[in-house]
């Protein structure tokens, strides 16, 4: 079974991550969800990242807001792919978290999605896991077909509205 971890910097990030968790589960990814803070529990963050590959995780998603160092710290301690989710939880509307995650120094990448882009983070994770777990390739194709059907439906509604 494909396996990933989703870490958030605070319990206050949790509600915005429900879609991410649901998406991973829909694709059959075994996801471990934890609250671990790079600033408030730095030793635990390091320990989690150092043992992540051994524990069987294949990718790590990190969600955090404000001066969001979680993804960078986790990435520093593992060579697993790390996906950063900047959370909008500050007076700066998440721009601080976005820049903290996306502007990593050369050598330690964090694949950063949009501010509050948690569902895209889940999908990117599935795409990474699909390199090894072939069953996910078909599921991703089906998901894209559903997206396309949604657009076609929206187009039909707009065309109808223009006639009304
Ligand atoms: C970050 O600071 C967390 O990821 C959260 O988005 C933000 C606020 O945390 P709390 O003060 O609500 O715990 O570390």
């Amino acid at each position: 079974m494909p396996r990933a971890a989703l870490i958030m910097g605070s319990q206050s990030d949790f509600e915005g991550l429900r879609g991410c968790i649901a998406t991973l589960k829909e694709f059959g990814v075994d996801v471990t969800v934890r609250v671990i803070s790079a600033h408030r529990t730095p030793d635990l963050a390091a320990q989690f990242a150092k043992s992540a590959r051994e524990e069987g995780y294949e990718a790590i998603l990190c969600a955090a807001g404000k001066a969001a160092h979680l993804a960078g710290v986790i990435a520093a301690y593992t060579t697993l792919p790390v996906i950063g989710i900047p959370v909008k939880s500050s007076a700066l509307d998440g721009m601080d978290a976005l820049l903290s995650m996306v502007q990593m120094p050369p050598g330690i990448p964090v694949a950063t999605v949009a501010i509050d882009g948690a569902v895209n983070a889940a999908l990117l994770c599935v795409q990474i896991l699909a390199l090894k777990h072939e069953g996910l390739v078909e599921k991703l194709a089906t998901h894209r077909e559903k997206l396309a059907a949604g657009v076609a439906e929206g187009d039909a509604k707009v065309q109808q509205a223009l006639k009304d």
Side-chain angles (χ1 to χ4, degrees):
M1 196 176 194
R3 190 138 187 253
L6 167 63
I7 308 173
M8 64 198 84
S10 167
Q11 184 194 347
S12 63
D13 298 321
F14 179 56
E15 285 307 319
L17 298 171
R18 284 189 186 273
C20 173
I21 297 165
T23 302
L24 289 167
K25 288 186 174 171
E26 260 169 50
F27 278 88
V29 176
D30 177 14
V31 59
T32 298
V33 181
R34 296 286 308 274
V35 177
I36 298 176
S37 167
H39 301 123
R40 294 162 175 162
T41 59
D43 290 340
L44 178 58
Q47 184 196 323
F48 187 94
K50 282 182 193 174
S51 61
R53 188 183 291 276
E54 235 169 69
E55 292 292 328
Y57 299 118
E58 297 164 284
I60 305 177
L61 299 91
C62 297
K66 298 195 166 84
H69 296 120
L70 182 61
V73 167
I74 294 292
Y77 285 109
T78 182
T79 52
L80 289 173
V82 174
I83 302 171
I85 306 165
V87 173
K88 193 195 272 194
S89 64
S90 70
L92 300 181
D93 281 342
M95 276 304 291
D96 39 5
L98 171 65
L99 296 177
S100 302
M101 286 184 184
V102 82
Q103 291 285 38
M104 285 295 289
I108 310 293
V110 169
T112 306
V113 296
I115 297 168
D116 285 345
V119 170
N120 263 5
L123 292 169
L124 178 57
C125 178
V126 171
Q127 290 179 202
I128 291 167
L129 298 176
L131 291 169
K132 177 176 164 195
H133 302 274
E134 285 177 16
L136 292 176
V137 175
E138 203 179 315
K139 288 183 183 174
L140 282 163
T142 305
H143 181 259
R144 292 283 173 104
E145 280 165 19
K146 280 187 199 157
L147 291 180
V151 173
E153 200 181 308
D155 183 49
K157 281 181 185 162
V158 168
Q159 299 313 318
Q160 187 56 48
L162 290 170
K163 283 182 203 156
D164 291 343

